[in-house]
Amino acid sequence: PVDSPPAELDTEAVPIEKHTARVLQNSIAVLPFDNLSPEPDHAYFAAGIYDEIVTQLGKVRGLSVIARAAMLRYANSDRSVAQIASELNVETIMSGSVRYSADQVRVTVQLVDAATGTQLWSDGYQERLEDIFDIQMAIARRIASTLEVRISPDDPVLVSKPPTTNATAYAHYLRANTLAWGGLNPFSLVYAELDRAIDADPEFASAYASKAFYQAVMGIPEPDRPLSLDDIKATKEKARQNARRALDINPNEARAVLTLGLLATGNARFDDGVVLVERAYELAPNDIYTLNFLASVRTMQDRWPDVLAITEKKMALDPLDFYHPFGPVSYTH
């Protein structure tokens, strides 16, 4: 069946680290980046690249990365590093800026020890937009090294490959995700930007994965009539096809694996769904959506100690979110 997990996936249960300490070990909170681009309509680059860097950091298994949503309240905040760290219970704070001009992206970042206020390191990186992935990887590795987190050879941050080398495709992808997380933007705009990204690079796995996830969770954009069961079924099938296409290109595309897991658990293929959600957690152990869905399947399995551990981790990484800990409810369930 199309929503069964690939045969090579490990079906063993994934251990969940408990986060009960006052300060999270090997933890980092990334403040929203400042936009230094000369063109006002390039603001989405700063937001999009910020999201991508947080996502890349979240793939490092030994790091605890505070969720993007919890950090938005600190944009342009006058709180001190010590205050932010105290509110989020983290060891380090990273801040940065993005400047995009003439197809060149410059990212400047600094990492500060929350307890002492000491700058641990700072650096600037400049690449063409299509090579921005190299910057993301360099920052993730540097932070892991600074916090003395060992990256194993099979860690997702090492086995990942550049999602695209097409600057036009990447620009549309960044714009789509910025629109998606930006609040009340019509999802027709999000899907249109992702379609443009895919048109520019038909091998762009992350674009397929994002579209699949949004279709599975958010559904049909602005329907002009009441949804029918056929509408819902067709959209779920499109989500499944897009997720499968993403995994054909890149088997380690975490958001695509999670989407298939969500669809499987909601389509009477619960055991397959559990395997897929566990695999998504292996690939993206700091992703809040993955933690929500993993808590959901553990709840349905009556594995309450696991539910508690996952919920504790989720609350530690997203302490300002009061969302139901057992996962989002959508028409796909």
Side-chain angles (χ1 to χ4, degrees):
V2 294
D3 56 353
S4 295
E8 67 272 13
L9 290 186
D10 185 358
T11 59
E12 293 184 4
V14 181
I16 307 297
E17 315 89 348
K18 286 194 175 184
H19 292 273
T20 56
R22 173 61 181 164
V23 175
L24 296 174
Q25 186 177 10
N26 298 330
S27 54
I28 180 170
V30 185
L31 295 172
F33 287 175
D34 294 329
N35 172 39
L36 304 182
S37 303
E39 298 293 332
D41 63 348
H42 284 169
Y44 71 91
F45 275 99
I49 289 172
Y50 167 80
D51 287 344
E52 291 290 288
I53 288 175
V54 172
T55 298
Q56 199 66 31
L57 287 172
K59 294 179 181 179
V60 181
R61 292 177 180 141
L63 289 180
S64 294
V65 183
I66 299 299
R68 168 198 176 277
M71 299 307 301
L72 293 182
R73 68 176 294 184
Y74 297 108
N76 303 314
S77 172
D78 58 1
R79 289 181 175 86
S80 67
V81 166
Q83 287 175 312
I84 296 172
S86 177
E87 291 177 10
L88 298 174
N89 301 327
V90 293
E91 294 178 328
T92 56
I93 300 284
M94 188 171 85
S95 59
S97 64
V98 174
R99 177 184 172 87
Y100 176 63
S101 180
D103 294 327
Q104 292 285 316
V105 179
R106 179 168 180 79
V107 179
T108 302
V109 292
Q110 64 171 346
L111 187 69
V112 175
D113 182 278
T116 65
T118 303
Q119 180 175 285
L120 299 175
W121 63 268
S122 65
D123 211 339
Y125 305 83
Q126 183 160 324
E127 296 281 359
R128 296 174 303 169
L129 179 61
E130 56 264 39
D131 298 321
I132 188 66
F133 189 76
D134 293 338
I135 295 178
Q136 299 168 24
M137 294 284 284
I139 291 173
R141 288 169 171 163
R142 181 67 181 272
I143 288 175
S145 175
T146 301
L147 298 182
E148 299 181 349
V149 173
R150 180 178 175 271
I151 302 180
S152 63
D154 65 339
D155 198 290
V157 78
L158 292 184
V159 299
S160 298
K161 64 178 183 179
T164 185
T165 57
N166 184 302
T168 299
Y170 197 64
H172 286 301
Y173 172 76
L174 291 179
R175 190 188 296 273
N177 288 329
T178 301
L179 288 168
W181 303 122
L184 301 177
N185 297 303
F187 254 76
S188 57
L189 299 180
V190 176
Y191 291 144
E193 289 294 334
L194 288 172
D195 286 341
R196 293 184 184 107
I198 291 168
D199 287 343
D201 181 2
E203 299 297 306
F204 194 173
S206 297
Y208 287 104
S210 288
K211 187 171 184 182
F213 182 73
Y214 296 144
Q215 287 171 324
V217 175
M218 306 301 181
I220 303 170
E222 303 83 53
D224 56 4
R225 54 184 169 74
L227 292 178
S228 69
L229 290 177
D230 287 342
D231 291 330
I232 295 171
K233 183 177 179 180
T235 302
K236 289 168 66 175
E237 181 57 31
K238 289 177 183 177
R240 185 177 290 108
Q241 291 173 1
N242 281 320
R244 279 292 174 188
R245 176 65 180 131
L247 293 177
D248 286 343
I249 300 167
N250 178 11
N252 293 312
E253 188 61 58
R255 190 48 55 89
V257 176
L258 179 63
T259 299
L260 290 180
L262 167 63
L263 293 172
T265 56
N267 193 33
R269 301 192 62 82
F270 182 75
D271 291 342
D272 287 345
V274 171
V275 173
L276 288 159
V277 175
E278 288 177 348
R279 175 58 176 163
Y281 176 76
E282 290 179 343
L283 292 170
N286 289 283
D287 181 69
I288 295 301
Y289 279 101
T290 302
L291 290 170
N292 277 330
F293 291 132
L294 187 55
S296 293
V297 298
R298 292 292 187 254
T299 299
M300 288 182 274
Q301 292 174 314
D302 289 329
R303 293 174 55 172
W304 296 104
D306 285 353
V307 174
L308 179 59
I310 297 165
T311 303
E312 286 176 348
K313 178 172 183 177
K314 191 265 181 185
M315 292 174 65
L317 298 182
D318 199 358
L320 304 178
D321 182 20
F322 297 99
Y323 200 51
H324 194 287
F326 303 142
V329 176
S330 76
Y331 69 77
T332 57
H333 282 201

